[in-house]
mmCIF file of all heavy atoms in Angstrom:
data_model
loop_
_atom_site.group_PDB
_atom_site.id
_atom_site.type_symbol
_atom_site.label_atom_id
_atom_site.label_comp_id
_atom_site.label_asym_id
_atom_site.label_seq_id
_atom_site.Cartn_x
_atom_site.Cartn_y
_atom_site.Cartn_z
ATOM 1 N N GLY A 243 -13.494 10.465 -22.780
ATOM 2 C CA GLY A 243 -13.956 9.218 -23.362
ATOM 3 C C GLY A 243 -13.030 8.037 -23.194
ATOM 4 O O GLY A 243 -13.311 6.949 -23.655
ATOM 5 N N VAL A 244 -11.918 8.218 -22.513
ATOM 6 C CA VAL A 244 -10.989 7.112 -22.245
ATOM 7 C C VAL A 244 -11.596 6.261 -21.124
ATOM 8 O O VAL A 244 -11.758 6.740 -20.023
ATOM 9 C CB VAL A 244 -9.583 7.599 -21.863
ATOM 10 C CG1 VAL A 244 -8.672 6.452 -21.498
ATOM 11 C CG2 VAL A 244 -8.983 8.419 -22.999
ATOM 12 N N PRO A 245 -11.904 4.970 -21.416
ATOM 13 C CA PRO A 245 -12.508 4.138 -20.383
ATOM 14 C C PRO A 245 -11.470 3.566 -19.429
ATOM 15 O O PRO A 245 -10.306 3.387 -19.776
ATOM 16 C CB PRO A 245 -13.142 3.005 -21.200
ATOM 17 C CG PRO A 245 -12.277 2.903 -22.404
ATOM 18 C CD PRO A 245 -11.785 4.295 -22.696
ATOM 19 N N ASN A 246 -11.900 3.311 -18.201
ATOM 20 C CA ASN A 246 -11.083 2.608 -17.211
ATOM 21 C C ASN A 246 -9.698 3.213 -17.005
ATOM 22 O O ASN A 246 -8.690 2.530 -17.026
ATOM 23 C CB ASN A 246 -10.953 1.129 -17.585
ATOM 24 C CG ASN A 246 -12.289 0.456 -17.730
ATOM 25 O OD1 ASN A 246 -13.174 0.669 -16.924
ATOM 26 N ND2 ASN A 246 -12.441 -0.322 -18.779
ATOM 27 N N LYS A 247 -9.660 4.521 -16.808
ATOM 28 C CA LYS A 247 -8.384 5.175 -16.560
ATOM 29 C C LYS A 247 -7.791 4.639 -15.241
ATOM 30 O O LYS A 247 -8.536 4.385 -14.285
ATOM 31 C CB LYS A 247 -8.576 6.697 -16.401
ATOM 32 C CG LYS A 247 -8.900 7.416 -17.674
ATOM 33 C CD LYS A 247 -9.005 8.909 -17.387
ATOM 34 C CE LYS A 247 -9.397 9.698 -18.596
ATOM 35 N NZ LYS A 247 -9.480 11.129 -18.300
ATOM 36 N N PRO A 248 -6.489 4.502 -15.188
ATOM 37 C CA PRO A 248 -5.869 4.158 -13.898
ATOM 38 C C PRO A 248 -6.140 5.299 -12.899
ATOM 39 O O PRO A 248 -6.301 6.436 -13.291
ATOM 40 C CB PRO A 248 -4.391 4.001 -14.197
ATOM 41 C CG PRO A 248 -4.190 4.619 -15.547
ATOM 42 C CD PRO A 248 -5.501 4.668 -16.236
ATOM 43 N N GLN A 249 -6.165 4.948 -11.617
ATOM 44 C CA GLN A 249 -6.444 5.918 -10.590
ATOM 45 C C GLN A 249 -5.247 6.031 -9.642
ATOM 46 O O GLN A 249 -4.587 5.048 -9.351
ATOM 47 C CB GLN A 249 -7.672 5.516 -9.774
ATOM 48 C CG GLN A 249 -8.929 5.487 -10.585
ATOM 49 C CD GLN A 249 -10.111 5.006 -9.766
ATOM 50 O OE1 GLN A 249 -10.005 4.115 -8.940
ATOM 51 N NE2 GLN A 249 -11.266 5.613 -10.006
ATOM 52 N N MET A 250 -5.008 7.251 -9.193
ATOM 53 C CA MET A 250 -3.993 7.522 -8.179
ATOM 54 C C MET A 250 -4.713 8.112 -6.976
ATOM 55 O O MET A 250 -5.483 9.042 -7.127
ATOM 56 C CB MET A 250 -2.931 8.464 -8.684
ATOM 57 C CG MET A 250 -1.834 8.718 -7.636
ATOM 58 S SD MET A 250 -0.500 9.759 -8.225
ATOM 59 C CE MET A 250 -1.259 11.348 -8.141
ATOM 60 N N TYR A 251 -4.461 7.585 -5.814
ATOM 61 C CA TYR A 251 -5.093 8.035 -4.576
ATOM 62 C C TYR A 251 -4.104 8.891 -3.799
ATOM 63 O O TYR A 251 -2.955 8.499 -3.589
ATOM 64 C CB TYR A 251 -5.539 6.820 -3.753
ATOM 65 C CG TYR A 251 -6.085 7.150 -2.399
ATOM 66 C CD1 TYR A 251 -7.335 7.723 -2.263
ATOM 67 C CD2 TYR A 251 -5.357 6.863 -1.255
ATOM 68 C CE1 TYR A 251 -7.848 8.007 -1.011
ATOM 69 C CE2 TYR A 251 -5.862 7.151 0.000
ATOM 70 C CZ TYR A 251 -7.104 7.728 0.123
ATOM 71 O OH TYR A 251 -7.605 8.019 1.360
ATOM 72 N N TYR A 252 -4.558 10.058 -3.349
ATOM 73 C CA TYR A 252 -3.728 10.979 -2.587
ATOM 74 C C TYR A 252 -4.530 11.395 -1.346
ATOM 75 O O TYR A 252 -5.698 11.728 -1.453
ATOM 76 C CB TYR A 252 -3.371 12.205 -3.421
ATOM 77 C CG TYR A 252 -2.355 13.102 -2.756
ATOM 78 C CD1 TYR A 252 -1.015 12.836 -2.857
ATOM 79 C CD2 TYR A 252 -2.763 14.202 -2.019
ATOM 80 C CE1 TYR A 252 -0.069 13.650 -2.241
ATOM 81 C CE2 TYR A 252 -1.840 15.006 -1.398
ATOM 82 C CZ TYR A 252 -0.512 14.727 -1.508
ATOM 83 O OH TYR A 252 0.408 15.510 -0.883
ATOM 84 N N GLU A 253 -3.892 11.358 -0.199
ATOM 85 C CA GLU A 253 -4.594 11.742 1.025
ATOM 86 C C GLU A 253 -3.751 12.683 1.857
ATOM 87 O O GLU A 253 -2.516 12.690 1.763
ATOM 88 C CB GLU A 253 -4.941 10.493 1.842
ATOM 89 C CG GLU A 253 -3.709 9.777 2.366
ATOM 90 C CD GLU A 253 -4.056 8.490 3.082
ATOM 91 O OE1 GLU A 253 -5.168 7.954 2.904
ATOM 92 O OE2 GLU A 253 -3.207 8.008 3.839
ATOM 93 N N GLY A 254 -4.443 13.467 2.669
ATOM 94 C CA GLY A 254 -3.770 14.392 3.570
ATOM 95 C C GLY A 254 -4.164 14.124 5.007
ATOM 96 O O GLY A 254 -5.224 13.580 5.283
ATOM 97 N N LEU A 255 -3.328 14.530 5.916
ATOM 98 C CA LEU A 255 -3.587 14.480 7.347
ATOM 99 C C LEU A 255 -3.914 13.104 7.885
ATOM 100 O O LEU A 255 -4.841 12.939 8.651
ATOM 101 C CB LEU A 255 -4.681 15.500 7.726
ATOM 102 C CG LEU A 255 -4.238 16.953 7.661
ATOM 103 C CD1 LEU A 255 -5.414 17.898 7.761
ATOM 104 C CD2 LEU A 255 -3.238 17.259 8.771
ATOM 105 N N ILE A 256 -3.121 12.110 7.526
ATOM 106 C CA ILE A 256 -3.278 10.799 8.155
ATOM 107 C C ILE A 256 -2.773 10.854 9.599
ATOM 108 O O ILE A 256 -3.281 10.164 10.464
ATOM 109 C CB ILE A 256 -2.594 9.684 7.350
ATOM 110 C CG1 ILE A 256 -3.089 8.310 7.832
ATOM 111 C CG2 ILE A 256 -1.082 9.800 7.406
ATOM 112 C CD1 ILE A 256 -2.711 7.172 6.920
ATOM 113 N N HIS A 257 -1.768 11.709 9.840
ATOM 114 C CA HIS A 257 -1.264 11.925 11.202
ATOM 115 C C HIS A 257 -1.775 13.269 11.708
ATOM 116 O O HIS A 257 -1.541 14.308 11.083
ATOM 117 C CB HIS A 257 0.251 11.907 11.252
ATOM 118 C CG HIS A 257 0.820 10.568 10.896
ATOM 119 N ND1 HIS A 257 1.843 10.412 10.016
ATOM 120 C CD2 HIS A 257 0.490 9.326 11.308
ATOM 121 C CE1 HIS A 257 2.127 9.132 9.903
ATOM 122 N NE2 HIS A 257 1.307 8.458 10.679
ATOM 123 N N ALA A 258 -2.479 13.234 12.808
ATOM 124 C CA ALA A 258 -3.179 14.421 13.316
ATOM 125 C C ALA A 258 -2.264 15.611 13.542
ATOM 126 O O ALA A 258 -2.659 16.742 13.245
ATOM 127 C CB ALA A 258 -3.873 14.045 14.614
ATOM 128 N N ARG A 259 -1.071 15.405 14.000
ATOM 129 C CA ARG A 259 -0.194 16.511 14.385
ATOM 130 C C ARG A 259 0.568 17.119 13.204
ATOM 131 O O ARG A 259 1.216 18.147 13.363
ATOM 132 C CB ARG A 259 0.782 16.058 15.443
ATOM 133 C CG ARG A 259 1.778 15.031 14.956
ATOM 134 C CD ARG A 259 2.666 14.566 16.072
ATOM 135 N NE ARG A 259 3.577 13.525 15.647
ATOM 136 C CZ ARG A 259 4.122 12.654 16.455
ATOM 137 N NH1 ARG A 259 3.849 12.712 17.746
ATOM 138 N NH2 ARG A 259 4.952 11.752 16.024
ATOM 139 N N GLU A 260 0.488 16.516 12.054
ATOM 140 C CA GLU A 260 1.217 17.023 10.888
ATOM 141 C C GLU A 260 0.322 17.967 10.100
ATOM 142 O O GLU A 260 -0.127 17.677 8.995
ATOM 143 C CB GLU A 260 1.706 15.835 10.058
ATOM 144 C CG GLU A 260 2.710 15.004 10.836
ATOM 145 C CD GLU A 260 3.077 13.671 10.179
ATOM 146 O OE1 GLU A 260 2.564 13.380 9.076
ATOM 147 O OE2 GLU A 260 3.881 12.935 10.778
ATOM 148 N N TRP A 261 0.058 19.122 10.697
ATOM 149 C CA TRP A 261 -0.911 20.077 10.180
ATOM 150 C C TRP A 261 -0.622 20.523 8.757
ATOM 151 O O TRP A 261 -1.552 20.799 8.001
ATOM 152 C CB TRP A 261 -0.977 21.299 11.090
ATOM 153 C CG TRP A 261 -1.463 21.006 12.478
ATOM 154 C CD1 TRP A 261 -2.076 19.871 12.943
ATOM 155 C CD2 TRP A 261 -1.386 21.880 13.590
ATOM 156 N NE1 TRP A 261 -2.384 19.987 14.262
ATOM 157 C CE2 TRP A 261 -1.959 21.202 14.706
ATOM 158 C CE3 TRP A 261 -0.873 23.151 13.793
ATOM 159 C CZ2 TRP A 261 -2.056 21.795 15.969
ATOM 160 C CZ3 TRP A 261 -0.970 23.727 15.037
ATOM 161 C CH2 TRP A 261 -1.552 23.053 16.096
#
Side-chain angles (χ1 to χ4, degrees):
V244 175
N246 303 317
K247 289 182 182 181
Q249 297 177 322
M250 182 177 76
Y251 174 73
Y252 188 83
E253 66 185 18
L255 288 168
I256 194 168
H257 294 133
R259 66 183 177 204
E260 296 170 0
W261 296 347

